[in-house]
Amino acid sequence: MADINTAILHLSEKGFLDMNIDPELDLFAEIEKLKKEKNAIILAHYYQEPDIQDVADFIGDSLGLAQKAEKTNADMIVFAGVHFMAETAKILNPGKKVLLPDLKAGCSLSDSAPPALFKAFKDKYPGHIVITYINCSAGMKALSDIICTSSNAQRIVEGLPADQRIIFAPDKNLGAYINKQTGRNMVLWNGACMVHEIFSLEKLTRLKIRHPKAKVIAHPECEEPILALADYIGSTTGLLNYTKKDPANEFIVVTETGILHQMQKLNPGKTFIPAPPNNSCACNDCPHMKLNTLEKLYLCLKYELPEITMDEELRLAAKKPIDKMLELSAQYGL
Ligand code: 13P
Ligand code: SF4
């Protein structure tokens, strides 16, 4: 069994503390104990595995998590999500320890926008302001004017003067959806989420025929032909709230499957059918989000590693557009 010193030695190559854990240990109880001892908070995205959601102090979508990270009094934040989310929490909390159970939990959408390439793209469009989806690196945030999430992107765009020219990055599907909703013509960066791009239109069409009473609910990171079949389009929290409010008893859920855990918990009498991807799998998991496990989270909280660190100049530059988003979200009651 690797001891802590060996695990630390291999941390940068592995991305997490690779140690065996006694299978008899009650991880749920241990995590609760450590949280109290260290005044730590666990923030989890809805795409995390059910066990992680069950030990989290707060579960949310990207906006909810950023808002919670900004307000927390905890000394330590364990971010059960992907790297850009933990990085955002660090940008907002330079004095707190921010931990991510697996440093390799990245994001294909964030990776689709390298800052150096984006800078060259941005320079081709003088007079445009840059609205960037929170799913991006700190370097991309530093090149942006306003950060947005899928919860507030449309409202933020609507709040800008009609003649304001805009670059929207990195998600072309969300950007195209907002262009359609608002009648704008934002310049779009050509990035996408690997999870939301692989839903199968054919399989979804067949599912709809087999479940004619089911409502189709979809995340705006999906491609346009999929969104065209949806009864409701919204962020992860938006989708969850819709399942509570809408009287339908059956929903076809076109987003990452992690959200089904809360949907089922909040609506025990309703049925949720995950929309299938364009491959042989029945469900659609984000391989990055699912790198975090309860075991890695326990070790991360116990040994306070891996930790997110950041250059202060970059942090300050990346904070400005995040602050703008939080200020606008509060103004719009989001
Ligand atoms: P939201 O959390 O804004 O719904 O975005 C989903 C997502 O893909 C997060 O990585
Ligand atoms: Fe990134 Fe998509 Fe995974 Fe979200 S679901 S973390 S956008 S790859």
Side-chain angles (χ1 to χ4, degrees), residues 45-47 60-63 65 82 84-85 107 109 133-135 149-151 193 196 219-221 234-238 255-256 286 289:
H45 191 272
Y46 287 120
Y47 297 167
D61 68 356
S62 306
L63 177 62
L65 289 164
V82 289
F84 76 83
M85 296 178 171
C107 167
L109 186 48
Y133 196 34
I134 198 164
N135 300 39
T149 77
S150 55
S151 281
C193 157
H196 289 91
H219 196 281
E221 285 173 23
S235 77
T236 317
T237 299
T255 189
E256 212 268 1
C286 170
M289 286 276 183

Side-chain angles (χ1 to χ4, degrees), residues 253-274:
V253 184
V254 199
T255 189
E256 212 268 1
T257 42
I259 186 67
L260 268 74
H261 183 54
Q262 294 305 319
M263 287 179 174
Q264 261 143 10
K265 267 177 116 169
L266 291 172
N267 305 283
K270 298 188 178 183
T271 303
F272 298 96
I273 306 158

Side-chain angles (χ1 to χ4, degrees), residues 28-29 46 50 86 98 112 122 132 166-167 169 188 194 233 240 243 248-249 281 287-288 297-298 309 311 318 324 334:
F28 292 90
Y46 287 120
V98 178
S112 69
K122 176 182 161 173
T132 307
I166 304 169
I167 296 174
L188 307 181
M194 62 184 286
I233 297 165
L240 184 62
T243 62
N249 282 318
C281 303
H288 309 291
L297 189 147
Y298 161 71
T309 54
D311 169 77
K324 188 78 193 153
L334 298 167

Side-chain angles (χ1 to χ4, degrees), residues 98-113:
V98 178
L99 306 167
L100 178 65
D102 191 326
L103 270 186
K104 293 199 174 169
C107 167
S108 67
L109 186 48
S110 176
D111 290 347
S112 69

